[in-house]
PDB file of all heavy atoms in Angstrom:
ATOM      1  N   LEU A   6      49.953 245.213 -92.095  1.00  0.00           N
ATOM      2  CA  LEU A   6      50.870 245.299 -93.130  1.00  0.00           C
ATOM      3  C   LEU A   6      52.084 244.384 -92.748  1.00  0.00           C
ATOM      4  O   LEU A   6      52.324 243.984 -91.608  1.00  0.00           O
ATOM      5  CB  LEU A   6      51.352 246.689 -93.291  1.00  0.00           C
ATOM      6  CG  LEU A   6      50.343 247.711 -93.673  1.00  0.00           C
ATOM      7  CD1 LEU A   6      50.892 249.152 -93.467  1.00  0.00           C
ATOM      8  CD2 LEU A   6      49.894 247.567 -95.125  1.00  0.00           C
ATOM      9  N   ILE A   8      56.222 244.706 -93.290  1.00  0.00           N
ATOM     10  CA  ILE A   8      57.186 245.674 -93.576  1.00  0.00           C
ATOM     11  C   ILE A   8      58.600 244.859 -93.917  1.00  0.00           C
ATOM     12  O   ILE A   8      59.087 244.268 -92.995  1.00  0.00           O
ATOM     13  CB  ILE A   8      57.549 246.678 -92.502  1.00  0.00           C
ATOM     14  CG1 ILE A   8      56.278 247.415 -92.111  1.00  0.00           C
ATOM     15  CG2 ILE A   8      58.677 247.562 -92.859  1.00  0.00           C
ATOM     16  CD1 ILE A   8      56.464 248.263 -90.845  1.00  0.00           C
ATOM     17  N   THR A  10      62.248 244.077 -93.979  1.00  0.00           N
ATOM     18  CA  THR A  10      63.459 244.558 -93.196  1.00  0.00           C
ATOM     19  C   THR A  10      64.665 243.814 -93.584  1.00  0.00           C
ATOM     20  O   THR A  10      64.497 242.746 -94.312  1.00  0.00           O
ATOM     21  CB  THR A  10      63.192 244.443 -91.677  1.00  0.00           C
ATOM     22  OG1 THR A  10      63.284 243.091 -91.327  1.00  0.00           O
ATOM     23  CG2 THR A  10      61.824 244.971 -91.218  1.00  0.00           C
ATOM     24  N   ALA A  15      58.400 242.499 -90.756  1.00  0.00           N
ATOM     25  CA  ALA A  15      57.795 242.970 -89.653  1.00  0.00           C
ATOM     26  C   ALA A  15      56.303 243.160 -89.780  1.00  0.00           C
ATOM     27  O   ALA A  15      55.928 243.981 -90.667  1.00  0.00           O
ATOM     28  CB  ALA A  15      58.424 244.235 -89.027  1.00  0.00           C
ATOM     29  N   ASP A  16      55.489 242.504 -89.019  1.00  0.00           N
ATOM     30  CA  ASP A  16      54.075 242.850 -89.091  1.00  0.00           C
ATOM     31  C   ASP A  16      53.836 244.123 -88.389  1.00  0.00           C
ATOM     32  O   ASP A  16      54.439 244.488 -87.539  1.00  0.00           O
ATOM     33  CB  ASP A  16      53.229 241.697 -88.456  1.00  0.00           C
ATOM     34  CG  ASP A  16      53.624 241.303 -87.107  1.00  0.00           C
ATOM     35  OD1 ASP A  16      54.829 240.906 -86.916  1.00  0.00           O
ATOM     36  OD2 ASP A  16      52.824 241.373 -86.191  1.00  0.00           O
ATOM     37  N   ALA A  17      52.758 244.781 -88.882  1.00  0.00           N
ATOM     38  CA  ALA A  17      52.564 246.200 -88.405  1.00  0.00           C
ATOM     39  C   ALA A  17      51.071 246.561 -88.558  1.00  0.00           C
ATOM     40  O   ALA A  17      50.371 246.032 -89.463  1.00  0.00           O
ATOM     41  CB  ALA A  17      53.284 247.250 -89.141  1.00  0.00           C
ATOM     42  N   PHE A  18      50.589 247.431 -87.790  1.00  0.00           N
ATOM     43  CA  PHE A  18      49.260 248.000 -87.778  1.00  0.00           C
ATOM     44  C   PHE A  18      49.332 249.453 -88.299  1.00  0.00           C
ATOM     45  O   PHE A  18      50.299 250.117 -87.961  1.00  0.00           O
ATOM     46  CB  PHE A  18      48.595 247.940 -86.465  1.00  0.00           C
ATOM     47  CG  PHE A  18      47.159 248.526 -86.350  1.00  0.00           C
ATOM     48  CD1 PHE A  18      46.136 247.830 -86.668  1.00  0.00           C
ATOM     49  CD2 PHE A  18      47.033 249.845 -86.000  1.00  0.00           C
ATOM     50  CE1 PHE A  18      44.801 248.340 -86.654  1.00  0.00           C
ATOM     51  CE2 PHE A  18      45.857 250.434 -85.943  1.00  0.00           C
ATOM     52  CZ  PHE A  18      44.600 249.572 -86.279  1.00  0.00           C
ATOM     53  N   ALA A  19      48.467 249.859 -89.284  1.00  0.00           N
ATOM     54  CA  ALA A  19      48.399 251.215 -89.645  1.00  0.00           C
ATOM     55  C   ALA A  19      47.021 251.779 -89.556  1.00  0.00           C
ATOM     56  O   ALA A  19      46.089 251.037 -89.828  1.00  0.00           O
ATOM     57  CB  ALA A  19      49.007 251.336 -91.066  1.00  0.00           C
ATOM     58  N   VAL A  31      53.521 259.231 -89.201  1.00  0.00           N
ATOM     59  CA  VAL A  31      53.958 259.090 -87.858  1.00  0.00           C
ATOM     60  C   VAL A  31      54.338 257.657 -87.596  1.00  0.00           C
ATOM     61  O   VAL A  31      53.530 256.783 -87.818  1.00  0.00           O
ATOM     62  CB  VAL A  31      52.839 259.552 -86.868  1.00  0.00           C
ATOM     63  CG1 VAL A  31      53.297 259.300 -85.446  1.00  0.00           C
ATOM     64  CG2 VAL A  31      52.461 261.028 -87.040  1.00  0.00           C
ATOM     65  N   LEU A  32      55.548 257.373 -87.181  1.00  0.00           N
ATOM     66  CA  LEU A  32      55.972 256.100 -86.656  1.00  0.00           C
ATOM     67  C   LEU A  32      55.826 255.987 -85.135  1.00  0.00           C
ATOM     68  O   LEU A  32      56.401 256.818 -84.489  1.00  0.00           O
ATOM     69  CB  LEU A  32      57.477 255.923 -87.064  1.00  0.00           C
ATOM     70  CG  LEU A  32      58.186 254.632 -86.562  1.00  0.00           C
ATOM     71  CD1 LEU A  32      57.562 253.418 -87.104  1.00  0.00           C
ATOM     72  CD2 LEU A  32      59.629 254.756 -86.987  1.00  0.00           C
ATOM     73  N   LEU A  33      55.043 255.030 -84.717  1.00  0.00           N
ATOM     74  CA  LEU A  33      54.681 254.874 -83.257  1.00  0.00           C
ATOM     75  C   LEU A  33      55.306 253.652 -82.826  1.00  0.00           C
ATOM     76  O   LEU A  33      55.058 252.568 -83.210  1.00  0.00           O
ATOM     77  CB  LEU A  33      53.212 254.789 -83.186  1.00  0.00           C
ATOM     78  CG  LEU A  33      52.654 254.996 -81.691  1.00  0.00           C
ATOM     79  CD1 LEU A  33      51.246 255.396 -81.756  1.00  0.00           C
ATOM     80  CD2 LEU A  33      52.735 253.667 -80.970  1.00  0.00           C
ATOM     81  N   TYR A  34      56.316 253.808 -81.872  1.00  0.00           N
ATOM     82  CA  TYR A  34      56.913 252.690 -81.099  1.00  0.00           C
ATOM     83  C   TYR A  34      56.137 252.300 -79.969  1.00  0.00           C
ATOM     84  O   TYR A  34      55.903 253.266 -79.086  1.00  0.00           O
ATOM     85  CB  TYR A  34      58.389 252.980 -80.827  1.00  0.00           C
ATOM     86  CG  TYR A  34      59.341 252.965 -81.968  1.00  0.00           C
ATOM     87  CD1 TYR A  34      60.056 254.093 -82.293  1.00  0.00           C
ATOM     88  CD2 TYR A  34      59.528 251.795 -82.695  1.00  0.00           C
ATOM     89  CE1 TYR A  34      60.990 254.094 -83.256  1.00  0.00           C
ATOM     90  CE2 TYR A  34      60.562 251.825 -83.760  1.00  0.00           C
ATOM     91  CZ  TYR A  34      61.275 253.027 -84.031  1.00  0.00           C
ATOM     92  OH  TYR A  34      62.177 252.965 -84.951  1.00  0.00           O
ATOM     93  N   THR A  35      55.779 251.112 -79.749  1.00  0.00           N
ATOM     94  CA  THR A  35      54.923 250.646 -78.598  1.00  0.00           C
ATOM     95  C   THR A  35      55.823 250.601 -77.317  1.00  0.00           C
ATOM     96  O   THR A  35      57.025 250.690 -77.346  1.00  0.00           O
ATOM     97  CB  THR A  35      54.375 249.288 -78.719  1.00  0.00           C
ATOM     98  OG1 THR A  35      55.463 248.310 -78.875  1.00  0.00           O
ATOM     99  CG2 THR A  35      53.663 249.147 -80.127  1.00  0.00           C
ATOM    100  N   ASP A  36      55.080 250.442 -76.223  1.00  0.00           N
ATOM    101  CA  ASP A  36      55.759 250.109 -74.944  1.00  0.00           C
ATOM    102  C   ASP A  36      56.205 248.680 -74.952  1.00  0.00           C
ATOM    103  O   ASP A  36      56.102 247.999 -75.959  1.00  0.00           O
ATOM    104  CB  ASP A  36      54.816 250.364 -73.768  1.00  0.00           C
ATOM    105  CG  ASP A  36      53.559 249.676 -73.858  1.00  0.00           C
ATOM    106  OD1 ASP A  36      53.429 248.739 -74.744  1.00  0.00           O
ATOM    107  OD2 ASP A  36      52.608 249.751 -72.948  1.00  0.00           O
ATOM    108  N   GLY A  39      53.959 245.772 -76.369  1.00  0.00           N
ATOM    109  CA  GLY A  39      53.815 245.550 -77.858  1.00  0.00           C
ATOM    110  C   GLY A  39      52.513 245.883 -78.435  1.00  0.00           C
ATOM    111  O   GLY A  39      51.710 246.585 -77.739  1.00  0.00           O
ATOM    112  N   VAL A  40      52.317 245.591 -79.691  1.00  0.00           N
ATOM    113  CA  VAL A  40      51.095 245.915 -80.447  1.00  0.00           C
ATOM    114  C   VAL A  40      49.917 245.132 -79.887  1.00  0.00           C
ATOM    115  O   VAL A  40      49.980 243.925 -79.613  1.00  0.00           O
ATOM    116  CB  VAL A  40      51.319 245.528 -81.897  1.00  0.00           C
ATOM    117  CG1 VAL A  40      50.027 245.919 -82.617  1.00  0.00           C
ATOM    118  CG2 VAL A  40      52.449 246.195 -82.595  1.00  0.00           C
ATOM    119  N   ARG A  41      48.898 245.828 -79.574  1.00  0.00           N
ATOM    120  CA  ARG A  41      47.648 245.178 -79.020  1.00  0.00           C
ATOM    121  C   ARG A  41      46.516 246.191 -79.071  1.00  0.00           C
ATOM    122  O   ARG A  41      46.756 247.327 -79.652  1.00  0.00           O
ATOM    123  CB  ARG A  41      47.957 244.826 -77.425  1.00  0.00           C
ATOM    124  CG  ARG A  41      48.324 246.085 -76.613  1.00  0.00           C
ATOM    125  CD  ARG A  41      48.809 245.571 -75.304  1.00  0.00           C
ATOM    126  NE  ARG A  41      48.938 246.723 -74.259  1.00  0.00           N
ATOM    127  CZ  ARG A  41      49.885 247.616 -74.230  1.00  0.00           C
ATOM    128  NH1 ARG A  41      50.847 247.639 -75.180  1.00  0.00           N
ATOM    129  NH2 ARG A  41      49.977 248.533 -73.294  1.00  0.00           N
ATOM    130  N   LEU A  44      47.185 249.965 -78.262  1.00  0.00           N
ATOM    131  CA  LEU A  44      47.974 250.759 -79.164  1.00  0.00           C
ATOM    132  C   LEU A  44      47.242 250.973 -80.524  1.00  0.00           C
ATOM    133  O   LEU A  44      47.482 251.972 -81.135  1.00  0.00           O
ATOM    134  CB  LEU A  44      49.409 250.103 -79.351  1.00  0.00           C
ATOM    135  CG  LEU A  44      50.436 250.406 -78.298  1.00  0.00           C
ATOM    136  CD1 LEU A  44      50.764 251.873 -78.366  1.00  0.00           C
ATOM    137  CD2 LEU A  44      49.991 250.025 -76.961  1.00  0.00           C
ATOM    138  N   VAL A  58      49.441 256.712 -89.359  1.00  0.00           N
ATOM    139  CA  VAL A  58      50.225 256.174 -88.073  1.00  0.00           C
ATOM    140  C   VAL A  58      50.578 254.724 -88.383  1.00  0.00           C
ATOM    141  O   VAL A  58      49.727 253.894 -88.590  1.00  0.00           O
ATOM    142  CB  VAL A  58      49.374 256.315 -86.899  1.00  0.00           C
ATOM    143  CG1 VAL A  58      50.169 255.968 -85.638  1.00  0.00           C
ATOM    144  CG2 VAL A  58      48.784 257.788 -86.719  1.00  0.00           C
ATOM    145  N   LEU A  59      51.905 254.426 -88.262  1.00  0.00           N
ATOM    146  CA  LEU A  59      52.400 253.071 -88.444  1.00  0.00           C
ATOM    147  C   LEU A  59      52.897 252.558 -87.122  1.00  0.00           C
ATOM    148  O   LEU A  59      53.761 253.108 -86.535  1.00  0.00           O
ATOM    149  CB  LEU A  59      53.529 253.076 -89.454  1.00  0.00           C
ATOM    150  CG  LEU A  59      54.180 251.844 -89.870  1.00  0.00           C
ATOM    151  CD1 LEU A  59      53.180 250.856 -90.575  1.00  0.00           C
ATOM    152  CD2 LEU A  59      55.427 251.987 -90.729  1.00  0.00           C
ATOM    153  N   VAL A  60      52.368 251.318 -86.798  1.00  0.00           N
ATOM    154  CA  VAL A  60      52.836 250.769 -85.492  1.00  0.00           C
ATOM    155  C   VAL A  60      53.383 249.391 -85.736  1.00  0.00           C
ATOM    156  O   VAL A  60      52.757 248.346 -85.847  1.00  0.00           O
ATOM    157  CB  VAL A  60      51.531 250.624 -84.553  1.00  0.00           C
ATOM    158  CG1 VAL A  60      51.922 250.314 -83.078  1.00  0.00           C
ATOM    159  CG2 VAL A  60      50.689 251.910 -84.544  1.00  0.00           C
ATOM    160  N   PRO A  61      54.670 249.251 -85.788  1.00  0.00           N
ATOM    161  CA  PRO A  61      55.413 247.939 -85.996  1.00  0.00           C
ATOM    162  C   PRO A  61      55.421 247.060 -84.774  1.00  0.00           C
ATOM    163  O   PRO A  61      55.445 247.592 -83.748  1.00  0.00           O
ATOM    164  CB  PRO A  61      56.768 248.441 -86.634  1.00  0.00           C
ATOM    165  CG  PRO A  61      57.099 249.670 -85.876  1.00  0.00           C
ATOM    166  CD  PRO A  61      55.670 250.393 -85.748  1.00  0.00           C
ATOM    167  N   ASN A  62      55.427 245.822 -85.063  1.00  0.00           N
ATOM    168  CA  ASN A  62      55.699 244.806 -84.061  1.00  0.00           C
ATOM    169  C   ASN A  62      57.156 244.747 -83.743  1.00  0.00           C
ATOM    170  O   ASN A  62      58.010 244.203 -84.613  1.00  0.00           O
ATOM    171  CB  ASN A  62      55.148 243.442 -84.545  1.00  0.00           C
ATOM    172  CG  ASN A  62      55.583 242.329 -83.535  1.00  0.00           C
ATOM    173  OD1 ASN A  62      55.973 242.562 -82.385  1.00  0.00           O
ATOM    174  ND2 ASN A  62      55.601 241.096 -84.085  1.00  0.00           N
ATOM    175  N   LEU A  63      57.703 245.330 -82.639  1.00  0.00           N
ATOM    176  CA  LEU A  63      59.081 245.345 -82.453  1.00  0.00           C
ATOM    177  C   LEU A  63      59.656 243.912 -82.253  1.00  0.00           C
ATOM    178  O   LEU A  63      60.842 243.839 -82.437  1.00  0.00           O
ATOM    179  CB  LEU A  63      59.261 246.093 -81.069  1.00  0.00           C
ATOM    180  CG  LEU A  63      58.699 247.517 -80.847  1.00  0.00           C
ATOM    181  CD1 LEU A  63      59.026 248.104 -79.547  1.00  0.00           C
ATOM    182  CD2 LEU A  63      59.178 248.416 -82.074  1.00  0.00           C
ATOM    183  N   TYR A  64      58.910 243.013 -81.959  1.00  0.00           N
ATOM    184  CA  TYR A  64      59.388 241.643 -81.649  1.00  0.00           C
ATOM    185  C   TYR A  64      59.149 240.643 -82.894  1.00  0.00           C
ATOM    186  O   TYR A  64      59.061 239.511 -82.705  1.00  0.00           O
ATOM    187  CB  TYR A  64      58.757 241.090 -80.473  1.00  0.00           C
ATOM    188  CG  TYR A  64      58.740 241.972 -79.224  1.00  0.00           C
ATOM    189  CD1 TYR A  64      57.681 242.294 -78.475  1.00  0.00           C
ATOM    190  CD2 TYR A  64      59.956 242.544 -78.814  1.00  0.00           C
ATOM    191  CE1 TYR A  64      57.546 243.108 -77.321  1.00  0.00           C
ATOM    192  CE2 TYR A  64      59.998 243.377 -77.660  1.00  0.00           C
ATOM    193  CZ  TYR A  64      58.791 243.685 -76.960  1.00  0.00           C
ATOM    194  OH  TYR A  64      58.826 244.477 -75.879  1.00  0.00           O
ATOM    195  N   TYR A  65      59.037 241.200 -84.005  1.00  0.00           N
ATOM    196  CA  TYR A  65      58.700 240.369 -85.161  1.00  0.00           C
ATOM    197  C   TYR A  65      59.589 239.177 -85.516  1.00  0.00           C
ATOM    198  O   TYR A  65      59.252 238.171 -85.989  1.00  0.00           O
ATOM    199  CB  TYR A  65      58.543 241.195 -86.478  1.00  0.00           C
ATOM    200  CG  TYR A  65      59.933 241.708 -86.978  1.00  0.00           C
ATOM    201  CD1 TYR A  65      60.623 240.916 -87.895  1.00  0.00           C
ATOM    202  CD2 TYR A  65      60.359 242.939 -86.614  1.00  0.00           C
ATOM    203  CE1 TYR A  65      61.800 241.399 -88.392  1.00  0.00           C
ATOM    204  CE2 TYR A  65      61.595 243.429 -87.148  1.00  0.00           C
ATOM    205  CZ  TYR A  65      62.249 242.695 -88.028  1.00  0.00           C
ATOM    206  OH  TYR A  65      63.472 243.082 -88.520  1.00  0.00           O
ATOM    207  N   ALA A  70      52.622 239.625 -83.681  1.00  0.00           N
ATOM    208  CA  ALA A  70      52.002 240.146 -82.554  1.00  0.00           C
ATOM    209  C   ALA A  70      50.644 239.612 -82.329  1.00  0.00           C
ATOM    210  O   ALA A  70      49.959 239.294 -83.264  1.00  0.00           O
ATOM    211  CB  ALA A  70      51.899 241.700 -82.590  1.00  0.00           C
ATOM    212  N   ASP A 106      65.964 248.262 -88.246  1.00  0.00           N
ATOM    213  CA  ASP A 106      64.591 248.287 -88.380  1.00  0.00           C
ATOM    214  C   ASP A 106      64.032 249.668 -88.665  1.00  0.00           C
ATOM    215  O   ASP A 106      63.174 249.982 -89.454  1.00  0.00           O
ATOM    216  CB  ASP A 106      63.863 247.725 -87.081  1.00  0.00           C
ATOM    217  CG  ASP A 106      64.019 246.250 -86.849  1.00  0.00           C
ATOM    218  OD1 ASP A 106      64.409 245.612 -87.944  1.00  0.00           O
ATOM    219  OD2 ASP A 106      63.669 245.803 -85.782  1.00  0.00           O
ATOM    220  N   ALA A 107      64.703 250.634 -87.980  1.00  0.00           N
ATOM    221  CA  ALA A 107      64.295 252.052 -88.142  1.00  0.00           C
ATOM    222  C   ALA A 107      64.383 252.450 -89.585  1.00  0.00           C
ATOM    223  O   ALA A 107      63.543 253.238 -90.221  1.00  0.00           O
ATOM    224  CB  ALA A 107      65.089 252.999 -87.202  1.00  0.00           C
ATOM    225  N   ALA A 109      64.105 250.532 -92.132  1.00  0.00           N
ATOM    226  CA  ALA A 109      63.081 249.944 -92.887  1.00  0.00           C
ATOM    227  C   ALA A 109      61.738 250.589 -92.641  1.00  0.00           C
ATOM    228  O   ALA A 109      60.912 250.775 -93.598  1.00  0.00           O
ATOM    229  CB  ALA A 109      62.982 248.425 -92.601  1.00  0.00           C
ATOM    230  N   TYR A 110      61.408 250.962 -91.469  1.00  0.00           N
ATOM    231  CA  TYR A 110      60.163 251.518 -91.061  1.00  0.00           C
ATOM    232  C   TYR A 110      59.916 252.864 -91.691  1.00  0.00           C
ATOM    233  O   TYR A 110      58.881 253.115 -92.207  1.00  0.00           O
ATOM    234  CB  TYR A 110      60.051 251.611 -89.586  1.00  0.00           C
ATOM    235  CG  TYR A 110      60.077 250.309 -88.721  1.00  0.00           C
ATOM    236  CD1 TYR A 110      60.478 250.312 -87.432  1.00  0.00           C
ATOM    237  CD2 TYR A 110      59.765 249.091 -89.311  1.00  0.00           C
ATOM    238  CE1 TYR A 110      60.522 249.201 -86.682  1.00  0.00           C
ATOM    239  CE2 TYR A 110      59.868 247.906 -88.643  1.00  0.00           C
ATOM    240  CZ  TYR A 110      60.177 247.976 -87.281  1.00  0.00           C
ATOM    241  OH  TYR A 110      60.302 246.765 -86.595  1.00  0.00           O
ATOM    242  N   LEU A 111      60.991 253.725 -91.702  1.00  0.00           N
ATOM    243  CA  LEU A 111      60.898 255.024 -92.220  1.00  0.00           C
ATOM    244  C   LEU A 111      60.785 255.011 -93.762  1.00  0.00           C
ATOM    245  O   LEU A 111      60.003 255.719 -94.394  1.00  0.00           O
ATOM    246  CB  LEU A 111      62.042 255.889 -91.806  1.00  0.00           C
ATOM    247  CG  LEU A 111      62.070 256.389 -90.317  1.00  0.00           C
ATOM    248  CD1 LEU A 111      63.395 257.202 -90.077  1.00  0.00           C
ATOM    249  CD2 LEU A 111      60.803 257.233 -90.046  1.00  0.00           C
ATOM    250  N   PHE A 113      59.576 252.525 -95.558  1.00  0.00           N
ATOM    251  CA  PHE A 113      58.159 251.916 -95.774  1.00  0.00           C
ATOM    252  C   PHE A 113      57.121 252.968 -95.556  1.00  0.00           C
ATOM    253  O   PHE A 113      56.202 253.181 -96.453  1.00  0.00           O
ATOM    254  CB  PHE A 113      57.898 250.717 -94.858  1.00  0.00           C
ATOM    255  CG  PHE A 113      56.682 250.070 -95.070  1.00  0.00           C
ATOM    256  CD1 PHE A 113      56.526 248.972 -95.996  1.00  0.00           C
ATOM    257  CD2 PHE A 113      55.534 250.408 -94.408  1.00  0.00           C
ATOM    258  CE1 PHE A 113      55.334 248.388 -96.291  1.00  0.00           C
ATOM    259  CE2 PHE A 113      54.241 249.767 -94.681  1.00  0.00           C
ATOM    260  CZ  PHE A 113      54.271 248.698 -95.508  1.00  0.00           C
ATOM    261  N   ILE A 128      57.087 258.674 -82.334  1.00  0.00           N
ATOM    262  CA  ILE A 128      56.532 258.690 -80.931  1.00  0.00           C
ATOM    263  C   ILE A 128      56.935 257.376 -80.305  1.00  0.00           C
ATOM    264  O   ILE A 128      56.941 256.260 -80.906  1.00  0.00           O
ATOM    265  CB  ILE A 128      55.018 258.794 -81.058  1.00  0.00           C
ATOM    266  CG1 ILE A 128      54.542 260.025 -81.766  1.00  0.00           C
ATOM    267  CG2 ILE A 128      54.413 258.820 -79.580  1.00  0.00           C
ATOM    268  CD1 ILE A 128      53.007 260.043 -82.091  1.00  0.00           C
ATOM    269  N   LEU A 136      63.780 254.105 -78.544  1.00  0.00           N
ATOM    270  CA  LEU A 136      63.844 253.882 -79.910  1.00  0.00           C
ATOM    271  C   LEU A 136      63.583 255.036 -80.751  1.00  0.00           C
ATOM    272  O   LEU A 136      64.248 255.198 -81.901  1.00  0.00           O
ATOM    273  CB  LEU A 136      62.903 252.681 -80.295  1.00  0.00           C
ATOM    274  CG  LEU A 136      63.318 251.295 -80.073  1.00  0.00           C
ATOM    275  CD1 LEU A 136      63.754 250.948 -78.631  1.00  0.00           C
ATOM    276  CD2 LEU A 136      62.295 250.313 -80.471  1.00  0.00           C
TER     277      LEU A 136
END
Side-chain angles (χ1 to χ4, degrees):
L6 300 166
I8 304 174
T10 76
D16 53 302
F18 177 85
V31 175
L32 174 59
L33 192 159
Y34 286 122
T35 68
D36 59 5
V40 182
R41 59 194 191 281
L44 272 299
V58 187
L59 182 67
V60 189
N62 170 22
L63 306 181
Y64 309 130
Y65 71 88
D106 289 349
Y110 299 156
L111 287 177
F113 184 88
I128 303 169
L136 273 60

